[in-house]
Amino acid sequence: MPASDPSPATEPTSRRQARPWELAALAGLVLAVVVVLALTGFSHDERGTDGAVGTAQADTEARAAAVQALLDTWASAVRTNDTARLSGLMDRSASPGFLAAETRRASNVAGVEFSDWGYEITESPETAVPSSLVDALGADEVWAPAVRLRYAIAGADESPTRKPVALVVARRGDSWALVSDSATVDGERRTWRGPWDFGTVVSRRVDTGDGRTSVVLGHPENVAMVDRLAEELPAAVVNATQLWGPDWAGRALVWVAGSQDEFTALVGPDHDGFGIAAVAISDAVDPDAGAVTGQRIVFSPSSAERLTDVTRRAILRHELIHVAARAETVDRSPMWVLEGYAEYAAYRGTGEAARQIAPALTAQVGAEGPPTGFPENTDFSESGERGSVAYETAWSINAFVAEQYGESKLTELYRALAVGESDPDTVDARLSDVLGVDAEQLRDRWTDWVGAHLG
C-alpha cells in the first residue's frame, strides 16, 4: 500500500502478499534508573545564573561539536572496519555487547559499497538527564542526543537516507565516549537496524541500462534468491519504464531478509505477516522536488521457498512499479488504482492467461457472476480469499483499461487518480475525463470484459 511518512524513518509504500495459489508453487545498556533523553544532558558541574545564557550557549555548542567529532570517528571506524579504533571509542561502562555488535557490524558493512556513511546530531526537544544516570555510570556528564545514521549505497541511492539511532554518550574530563545505541528510554526511540546488523552481507550490482546501477543485498544463506532477483532486475526496470515512462530513477535497491526479525526491522511491525512476499518502502516524498529517498524493495525470508519463477518475477515487477510511481503517488488514493496498476505491470507482456493471473476472481465469477463494483480500500488488507479477490479484481480493471484504451491512457488514469483520498463523484468525473466515457458505462464494459475473460 503506497504511503509516506513525514519522519525520516522508513515507511512501507506497498506490500505484496503471496496469495494462496502462489504459495503452492539496553539487550545492551542495563541500568537501574529511568533514562530521560536529553539535548541538554546533565553535568555535576552546576553553574550560577550570572552570564548563564551566554555560557550555556557556548557550552552547548562545544558539547555538540565534541560529540559530533566522536560520531564522525565512529562512522569512519565502522565503514573502514577498524576494530581497534572502535574499541577506543567505547566508554568504560559501555553497554555489555555493544563493542562486539559494532565489530560485527563493521565487518558486515565492509561487504557493501557505500557512497556515504555517517552519524549526525539533529535537533530535538530538550529534557534534562537525571543525576541518577550520571551517578550510575560514574561519568561527569551523560547525553542522549537525537542522532541519525546517514547512508547511501553507491549506485542505487541518488541521495542519502537517514535512520534513527538511540544513542547514549558519556563525558569523563574532556573526552566523550560511546555508551549504548540500544537505549529505548522513552519507549519510542529505537535504533534502526539494516541488513548489516543481521549477518554477513552479499551484494550484487546490476547494470539496469543507461549507465544506471541497481543493487541486490542479502546474506549467504539466501544467495540463490539474491542471484535470481539480480538476473531479473534489468528486464523489470525496462518493463516499468515502458509502462510508466522515463521520468523515474531507473534503478532499484532490493533486500532479501534472512529472518523474520530482520524483515520486521526493515519494513516495520505493521507489515511483518508471514503471508507477505515483498514490501516496497521509502522515506517521505518531497512533492515539490518530485524526489523520494530510501526506496527499497524488501523480500521476506520465506519468499525463496514460496515463490515460483513466475510469481517471483511478477512480485518484483509489481513492487518496482511502486518505486517508479512513488513520487507521483499520494496516500489514501483508491487502492484499486494503486495495486491494480502494479498488478498489471507484474504480468504485462508475460503471456500468462487471465485465469492463471486471477484464479480467485475466476472462481468467484463462476459461482456468482462478474463483479459490478470496484473493491474498497479495506479489502486489500484482508487475508485469504477476500484479499486475493481484491488484488485480482484491481488487476482486471487495469488490464481492461489497457486493452480497450491503451497503456498510455492507463498511466494517465493512474496519475489522475493517485492524488489522495477522493469522493466517489470526483473519482467518476476523473474516469470520464481520462477515458471519455462516464463511470457507469466504464463499469458496465469492464463487467462484460471480466465475464468474457474469466467466465
Side-chain angles (χ1 to χ4, degrees):
M1 180 187 306
S4 65
D5 184 345
S7 74
T10 296
E11 178 69 15
T13 63
S14 166
R15 79 181 204 176
R16 173 61 153 81
Q17 295 188 4
R19 300 176 301 197
W21 65 281
E22 297 172 335
L23 299 183
L26 65 230
L29 180 63
V30 179
L31 300 174
V33 296
V34 177
V35 182
V36 181
L37 295 178
L39 284 178
T40 55
F42 180 91
S43 171
H44 284 305
D45 182 16
E46 298 289 349
R47 303 182 187 278
T49 57
D50 293 342
V53 174
T55 301
Q57 178 66 25
D59 288 350
T60 297
E61 293 176 356
R63 179 181 62 183
V67 172
Q68 184 60 62
L70 171 67
L71 301 186
D72 292 343
T73 304
W74 179 26
S76 176
V78 170
R79 189 171 177 182
T80 60
N81 195 18
D82 189 336
T83 57
R85 191 156 49 146
L86 274 173
S87 179
L89 298 176
M90 297 291 161
D91 184 76
R92 68 188 184 211
S93 297
S95 172
F98 185 26
L99 176 59
E102 285 302 298
T103 300
R104 290 192 298 270
R105 173 191 286 181
S107 177
N108 297 334
V109 160
V112 183
E113 186 177 346
F114 292 93
S115 56
D116 191 13
W117 178 282
Y119 298 98
E120 56 191 28
I121 299 172
T122 64
E123 294 183 0
S124 179
E126 296 185 0
T127 55
V129 176
S131 59
S132 55
L133 175 56
V134 179
D135 293 339
L137 290 175
D140 296 315
E141 187 176 2
V142 178
W143 193 26
V147 173
R148 300 284 174 181
L149 165 65
R150 182 193 70 249
Y151 80 94
I153 293 177
D157 285 326
E158 295 184 75
S159 56
T161 185
R162 289 168 169 82
K163 303 299 176 189
V165 179
L167 187 67
V168 175
V169 293
R171 178 179 62 81
R172 301 180 189 277
D174 295 330
S175 298
W176 286 92
L178 304 173
V179 173
S180 174
D181 77 336
S182 60
T184 57
V185 293
D186 64 353
E188 296 182 1
R189 185 179 299 182
R190 297 176 183 271
T191 296
W192 176 85
R193 304 300 184 188
W196 35 85
D197 292 299
F198 293 90
T200 302
V201 179
V202 296
S203 176
R204 299 290 184 265
R205 301 180 66 78
V206 184
D207 181 358
T208 45
D210 298 327
R212 295 167 174 169
T213 300
S214 293
V215 177
V216 185
L217 298 179
H219 304 285
E221 62 268 26
N222 53 35
V223 68
M225 182 68 165
V226 170
D227 288 338
R228 291 188 185 103
L229 291 169
E231 291 171 0
E232 292 164 357
L233 254 180
V237 169
V238 170
N239 179 67
T241 300
Q242 288 175 344
L243 180 59
W244 179 254
D247 52 340
W248 71 290
R251 58 170 64 92
L253 179 54
V254 181
W255 289 342
V256 184
S259 67
Q260 194 62 35
D261 286 344
E262 180 181 0
F263 186 69
T264 300
L266 296 176
V267 306
D270 294 335
H271 298 264
D272 63 353
F274 286 89
I276 298 174
V279 177
I281 58 176
S282 74
D283 295 342
V285 179
D286 182 347
D288 295 330
V292 190
T293 58
Q295 294 209 90
R296 284 92 175 88
I297 298 170
V298 186
F299 278 79
S300 72
S302 61
S303 60
E305 296 178 356
R306 294 181 166 192
L307 301 179
T308 66
D309 289 344
V310 171
T311 56
R312 182 183 61 250
R313 185 178 303 115
I315 289 172
L316 178 62
R317 293 183 176 204
H318 175 112
E319 300 301 343
L320 194 60
I321 206 68
H322 283 310
V323 172
R326 186 67 189 98
E328 297 186 41
T329 301
V330 180
D331 298 345
R332 294 180 294 280
S333 299
M335 291 291 287
W336 64 262
V337 176
L338 307 186
E339 296 301 333
Y341 186 74
E343 282 290 86
Y344 174 76
Y347 295 99
R348 174 183 178 270
T350 63
E352 292 291 313
R355 291 172 178 268
Q356 293 175 301
I357 296 172
L361 179 58
T362 297
Q364 181 174 293
V365 170
E368 305 173 10
T372 57
F374 295 172
E376 299 293 332
N377 279 10
T378 53
D379 294 335
F380 291 87
S381 61
E382 296 293 329
S383 59
E385 182 180 357
R386 184 177 175 184
S388 296
V389 169
Y391 274 91
E392 293 172 11
T393 302
W395 165 81
S396 73
I397 300 167
N398 285 260
F400 159 73
V401 171
E403 182 180 296
Q404 298 296 311
Y405 301 93
E407 288 187 339
S408 62
K409 280 295 182 182
L410 174 62
T411 298
E412 183 182 345
L413 183 64
Y414 182 99
R415 287 186 160 105
L417 293 176
V419 293
E421 188 172 8
S422 301
D423 60 71
D425 290 342
T426 300
V427 171
D428 286 351
R430 288 172 180 162
L431 284 167
S432 300
D433 289 344
V434 174
L435 301 179
V437 293
D438 64 41
E440 184 177 354
Q441 289 175 319
L442 177 71
R443 288 183 175 85
D444 288 344
R445 294 178 185 179
W446 161 67
T447 297
D448 292 342
W449 185 93
V450 171
H453 286 73
L454 302 179

